[in-house]
């Protein structure tokens, strides 16, 4: 823009100062506005104008900014086949939700946006695959834990204290892995049946445990744990590969 145009440009923008409400209109409002346009190019200019106004006047808009709704109409009218209009929005507006309505905080160009979306899709596919594998692995886990907790509650506080003392004596020479294998292989009682001293391990010690043992232990502790057992379960979860 030449020097003659700049003052006029600034003057036009200043006309909208204090009118942030414009940027918070509902989608239906923008659809009504479109009916007054003579052709589609005015819709494109409306989008660009909103983008510039939000940037220059620091308008608040977030995920409901006017430019988002107007760009949706641009897409519905198939006016941005090469995404150059979207690229204008990315390059000229700091609002991470403009123009597509989903947050994007990366480099503001259409090329980088699509690269980001492609990478996100790959990560999502990996996460979904892992999630489905976990579902198969833990089928019935909740019911088994409920049953195990029920068995534990049949014991009085005194009985549980006596049992833990006996277990501590019985396994006093066992390694941490051996103690944890005993917990993991118990078909009747939950991990809380055993002495909490057995799980007071450092993160480094937990990381050295066999992955199969980590999975079995986490499966037994993945719901409604408390105190030291909850901390232990959270550390196990970090190492569970979900397969």
């Amino acid at each position: 823009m030449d020097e003659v145009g700049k003052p006029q440009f600034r003057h036009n923008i200043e006309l909208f100062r204090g009118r942030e409400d414009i940027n918070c209109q509902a989608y239906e409002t923008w659809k009504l506005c479109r009916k007054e346009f003579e052709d589609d190019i005015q819709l494109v200019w409306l989008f660009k104008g909103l983008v510039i106004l939000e940037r220059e006047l620091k308008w608040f808009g977030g995920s409901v900014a006017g430019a988002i709704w107007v760009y949706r109409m641009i897409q519905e009218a198939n006016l941005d086949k090469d995404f150059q209009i979207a690229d204008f929005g990315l390059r000229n507006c700091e609002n991470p939700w403009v123009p597509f309505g989903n947050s994007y905080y990366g480099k503001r160009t259409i090329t980088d946006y699509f690269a980001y979306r492609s990478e996100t899709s790959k990560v999502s596919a990996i996460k979904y695959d892992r999630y489905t594998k976990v579902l198969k692995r833990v089928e019935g886990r909740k019911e088994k834990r409920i049953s195990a907790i029920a068995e534990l509650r049949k014991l009085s506080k005194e009985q549980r204290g006596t049992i833990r003392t006996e277990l501590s004596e019985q396994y006093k020479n066992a390694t941490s892995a051996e103690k944890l294998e005993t917990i993991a292989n118990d078909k009747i009682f939950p991990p809380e049946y055993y002495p909490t001293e057995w799980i007071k391990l450092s993160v480094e010690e937990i990381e050295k445990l066999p992955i199969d043992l980590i999975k079995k232990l986490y499966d037994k502790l993945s719901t409604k744990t408390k105190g030291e057992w909850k901390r232990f379960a959270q550390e196990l979860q970090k190492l569970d590969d979900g397969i």
Side-chain angles (χ1 to χ4, degrees), residues 139-155:
E139 187 176 358
R141 175 172 63 184
K142 184 176 180 180
E143 290 74 16
K144 290 177 182 176
R145 180 156 174 81
I146 291 173
S147 177
I149 291 291
E151 289 298 321
L152 182 63
R153 287 174 177 167
K154 292 178 182 179
L155 302 173

Side-chain angles (χ1 to χ4, degrees), residues 7-70:
Q8 183 63 39
F9 176 73
R10 291 303 321 171
H11 172 72
N12 290 339
I13 285 180
E14 290 302 318
L15 293 175
F16 293 93
R17 188 171 297 280
R19 292 300 313 279
E20 192 169 14
D21 58 299
I22 293 174
N23 207 35
C24 300
Q25 299 299 310
Y27 179 55
E28 290 73 19
T29 302
W30 296 111
K31 288 190 73 173
L32 288 173
C33 288
R34 187 188 179 185
K35 292 181 179 179
E36 300 179 11
F37 295 163
E38 295 178 0
D39 53 51
D40 289 334
I41 192 63
Q42 289 180 299
L43 188 63
V44 176
W45 282 115
L46 175 61
F47 169 75
K48 291 184 175 182
L50 288 169
V51 166
I52 296 300
L53 285 170
E54 182 170 341
R55 182 192 70 191
E56 294 296 313
L57 299 179
K58 308 299 180 185
W59 275 358
F60 173 80
S63 61
V64 294
I68 297 170
W69 303 129
V70 175

Side-chain angles (χ1 to χ4, degrees), residues 167-215:
L167 286 168
S168 295
E169 179 61 26
Q170 181 182 350
Y171 288 92
K172 64 181 180 180
N173 295 320
T175 64
S176 294
E178 289 171 337
K179 293 174 182 177
L180 295 175
E181 284 284 0
T182 300
I183 295 175
N185 294 326
D186 194 321
K187 302 296 184 183
I188 300 175
F189 293 107
E192 290 89 337
Y193 175 83
Y194 294 88
T196 54
E197 287 74 18
W198 289 17
I199 59 167
K200 289 183 179 179
L201 307 175
S202 66
V203 174
E204 291 73 21
E205 289 174 310
I206 296 174
E207 289 175 345
K208 292 178 182 178
L209 296 173
I211 188 62
D212 287 342
L213 178 56
I214 287 173
K215 291 178 184 178

Side-chain angles (χ1 to χ4, degrees), residues 128-143:
Y128 178 77
D129 182 59
R130 175 177 174 178
Y131 178 67
T132 54
K133 288 178 179 177
V134 169
L135 285 182
K136 291 179 181 178
R137 192 187 92 204
V138 303
E139 187 176 358
R141 175 172 63 184
K142 184 176 180 180
E143 290 74 16

Side-chain angles (χ1 to χ4, degrees), residues 151-164:
E151 289 298 321
L152 182 63
R153 287 174 177 167
K154 292 178 182 179
L155 302 173
S156 67
K157 185 176 181 180
E158 291 72 22
Q159 286 176 310
R160 290 165 67 177
T162 300
I163 290 169
R164 286 170 182 163

Side-chain angles (χ1 to χ4, degrees), residues 81-100:
K81 295 178 181 179
D82 59 1
F83 293 100
Q84 290 308 298
I85 299 172
D87 189 57
F88 178 91
L90 286 164
R91 292 176 183 273
N92 290 281
C93 187
E94 296 177 358
N95 183 346
W97 297 88
V98 171
F100 297 108

